[in-house]
Amino acid sequence: MKFNESLSGEKKEEVEQRTALSGVPPLEVHDLTVSYHRRPVLWDIDFATPEGKLIAIVGPNGAGKSTLIKGIMGLVPLASGYVKIYGEDLERARSRVGYVPQRNSVDWDFPTSVLDVVMMGRYGRIGLFRRPRDSDRDVAMEALRQVGIVDLAKRQISQLSGGQQQRVFIARALAQDADLYLMDEPFVGVDAATEGAIIELLREMRRRGKTVIVVHHDLGTVREYFDWVLLLNLRLVAFGPLDEVFTDTLLQQTYGGRLNLLTKVAELMKEQERGRDLQ
Amino acid sequence: MDAFWIILTGTLAGASCALIGSFLVLRKMSMLGDAISHAVLPGIVIAFLLTGSRSSIPMLLGAAGFGLLTAFLVETLHRKGRLQQDASIGVTFTWLFAIGVILISRYAGMVDLDQDCVLYGEIAYITFDMVSIAGVQVPSAVLTLAGIFLLNIIFVLVGYKELKITAFDPSLAVSLGISATFWHYALMGMVSLTTVGAFWSVGAILVVAMLIAPSVTAWLLTDRLHQMLIYGVLLSLVSAVGGYYLASFLDGSIAGAMAVVSGILFAFALFFSPTHGILSRRIRMRRMMGRAERGEEDLSSVQNI
């Protein structure tokens, strides 16, 4: 009995060392409400994420998925509620959290190179008024190597394909060297090869104990890519491990009205067709 | 000697405007620069009336105050008043500029300032107001503009990284703890100072040409931000020299000619720029299509050309 206990204790320690888990939730969101022009777009969101997981935020268009991430990052004002990153306020934990905005949120005609954009991930660490150092450049090049576009380092960013643009954004987040990552729709408009490369990278990050939260639109790949799921539609519908949360009943609740409406339209069209056939 | 001073004035004004205007263009805020360049007028007049002199420090402060007020009002009307960005710009700057016009016309007899000078500048007359620096007679406008140019260079060098990231990806900047709001207002403050300097030489209307035209021309000629800034400054020099001689050839407005030359330079770059010009893009596209037809090229990146 005693022997077993100590053994399992040892094993646990080993696991903790391997993945550098700290035991504190990477992200806690408490009673978070966001409103635009007094209309709530996120209502009383409350959850805490486990460590070292790939987590999908799933919900219909306009459910507030991007807004949730922006609220967590302090990019939109919160009507109420607060956020903790590894148990600390965002201001103190900034270096531990990396944000990947939507690819189309920037102007890709901006006069700059791929390496320059990736270097921007280092700006928070470089500090005000200082210039990037060689070591920052090395980190940026290593990030480019990890996403497989090191040969594009000097390329002007307007010459990139959609998939390459997304890889640049991911590399920039890697260069930040954070522990928690929030990514807004990284799989939108990218080619299959890039999608595969990104998901491989996310798995590698998970192996190193990183926590990655991804706004995801493709219900078809959730089961394959993610460990945990957050179902969102203005309110938090459910949050938990894939098998418990990604169920037909809960999905129906999340997409509720819309799925029902579509079914009704389909039925009506069938009836019309039947009517035409009878005539 | 007059020619030298006039060209130097035009160059310093244009170069200062190009440095700061490049960031306006990259942030898609060209029209806010237009607005500020007009809305600083009441600030200048009030400083003028209070001090009774044309010394530059109070005027720069007055202008900076009204420039920041403009940026703030535009932002507030847009956010809180739910007015569209262009509408809030249109309302704000015309209102402030009109106040300036009333102030000038009301006190025109008392001060050495008139509407013509404000609207069209007085670059031809800058040598009427000379100061002595180490025994050399220098137009005071040149001194002011040299100070402003220096200030702009320092601002861009010190804040290069921050200006770049807040222009390219403000939400990433904020997520890294770099305040997009601070750099927005810092930039608007510099735009205000810079436009006042250029105000005296080319006037409120043509200052917009100096802010925007060399910057967009430079953007057409390069893929790197630091090169864009340097090209902008060089293009301002060419516009000032070309403009001066065009004006003396036509016997017309010097400021107007400088703006016309920078417009012509822009048109050249638009068609003939090796990287972004319409012609070279068309040629490249045709070559690529040719290669694709022969099955040598992957067309997946054509959309970006």
Side-chain angles (χ1 to χ4, degrees), chain B residues 13-38:
Chain B
S16 307
C17 285
L19 277 180
I20 218 75
S22 295
F23 289 101
L24 284 177
V25 168
L26 289 172
R27 287 163 172 260
K28 316 206 182 318
M29 286 180 178
S30 305
M31 290 330 280
L32 192 55
D34 182 14
I36 286 179
S37 68
H38 285 68

Side-chain angles (χ1 to χ4, degrees), chain A residues 10 16 22 33 42 70 98 102 106 117-118 167-168 171 175 198 207 235 251 270:
Chain A
E10 240 169 55
E16 273 179 8
S22 63
T33 296
L42 277 179
K70 286 180 184 155
Q102 284 186 20
V106 303
V117 173
V118 177
R167 287 181 197 226
V168 171
I198 293 177
R207 266 194 291 280
R235 295 158 186 271
L251 278 172
K270 258 186 211 159

Side-chain angles (χ1 to χ4, degrees), chain B residues 17 25 27 42 56 59 65-66 72 77 99 102 110-111 122 169-170 176 194 226 234 246 251 255 257 265 276 283 297:
Chain B
C17 285
V25 168
R27 287 163 172 260
S56 36
M59 277 191 202
F66 271 84
F72 176 75
L77 284 176
I99 290 177
I102 290 179
M110 292 158 63
V111 295
E122 48 179 21
D169 194 344
L176 292 173
T194 307
H226 62 275
L234 293 177
L246 179 68
D251 193 20
L265 291 174
H276 302 277
I283 291 167
E297 187 86 11

Side-chain angles (χ1 to χ4, degrees), chain A residues 140-150 171:
Chain A
M141 286 304 279
E142 171 59 22
L144 279 173
R145 198 192 54 74
Q146 283 184 42
V147 298
I149 52 169
V150 77

Side-chain angles (χ1 to χ4, degrees), chain B:
Chain B
M1 203 55 190
D2 273 14
F4 173 76
W5 291 124
I6 289 171
I7 289 171
L8 186 60
T9 304
T11 305
L12 286 171
S16 307
C17 285
L19 277 180
I20 218 75
S22 295
F23 289 101
L24 284 177
V25 168
L26 289 172
R27 287 163 172 260
K28 316 206 182 318
M29 286 180 178
S30 305
M31 290 330 280
L32 192 55
D34 182 14
I36 286 179
S37 68
H38 285 68
V40 292
L41 182 59
I44 294 176
V45 182
I46 289 170
F48 207 69
L49 292 172
L50 288 181
T51 61
S53 81
R54 294 184 64 161
S55 88
S56 36
I57 304 291
M59 277 191 202
L60 289 175
L61 291 177
F66 271 84
L68 290 177
L69 177 69
T70 311
F72 176 75
L73 284 178
V74 166
E75 198 65 15
T76 308
L77 284 176
H78 176 54
R79 287 243 171 102
K80 300 271 154 69
R82 298 170 75 172
L83 214 61
Q84 284 175 357
Q85 187 88 24
D86 54 348
S88 60
I89 288 176
V91 167
T92 307
F93 91 86
T94 46
W95 186 68
L96 289 171
F97 187 68
I99 290 177
V101 170
I102 290 179
L103 285 175
I104 289 183
S105 56
R106 172 72 183 76
Y107 298 104
M110 292 158 63
V111 295
D112 174 25
L113 193 72
D114 59 57
Q115 282 116 312
D116 273 3
C117 137
V118 161
L119 288 178
Y120 307 115
E122 48 179 21
I123 196 166
Y125 310 119
I126 49 153
T127 48
F128 291 4
D129 185 13
M130 303 290 266
V131 289
S132 177
I133 297 285
V136 184
Q137 291 289 308
V138 178
S140 65
V142 166
L143 276 188
T144 310
L145 284 168
I148 290 171
F149 184 50
L150 195 68
L151 213 59
N152 269 308
I153 290 179
I154 295 171
F155 178 68
V156 169
L157 283 180
V158 165
Y160 185 74
K161 189 161 96 307
E162 283 75 17
L163 286 167
K164 183 174 177 178
I165 193 174
T166 52
F168 176 64
D169 194 344
S171 57
L172 176 82
V174 172
S175 84
L176 292 173
I178 297 169
S179 168
T181 312
F182 171 81
W183 287 100
H184 174 72
Y185 283 105
L187 183 65
M188 294 311 143
M190 288 307 291
V191 169
S192 317
L193 290 183
T194 307
T195 48
V196 187
F199 222 99
W200 294 119
S201 43
V202 296
I205 298 176
L206 294 178
V207 86
V208 185
M210 286 191 160
L211 277 175
I212 310 304
S215 308
V216 290
T217 311
W219 194 357
L220 285 169
L221 295 175
T222 175
D223 285 339
R224 295 292 180 271
L225 179 57
H226 62 275
Q227 285 174 357
M228 177 175 163
L229 297 173
I230 294 167
Y231 289 2
V233 168
L234 293 177
L235 285 161
S236 303
L237 172 69
V238 176
S239 302
V241 175
Y244 178 80
Y245 288 105
L246 179 68
S248 50
F249 173 70
L250 298 172
D251 193 20
S253 151
I254 298 172
M258 287 179 177
V260 166
V261 170
S262 57
I264 292 171
L265 291 174
F266 168 73
F268 265 104
L270 183 64
F271 284 102
F272 303 115
S273 159
T275 45
H276 302 277
I278 292 175
L279 277 182
S280 58
R281 257 195 330 217
R282 196 159 287 175
I283 291 167
R284 232 177 311 149
M285 181 70 101
R286 195 154 299 160
R287 271 192 208 141
M288 184 168 275
M289 296 305 262
R291 278 206 298 272
E293 273 166 23
R294 297 192 297 272
E296 294 164 17
E297 187 86 11
D298 171 21
L299 274 183
S300 61
S301 57
V302 162
Q303 54 178 33
N304 297 310
I305 291 167

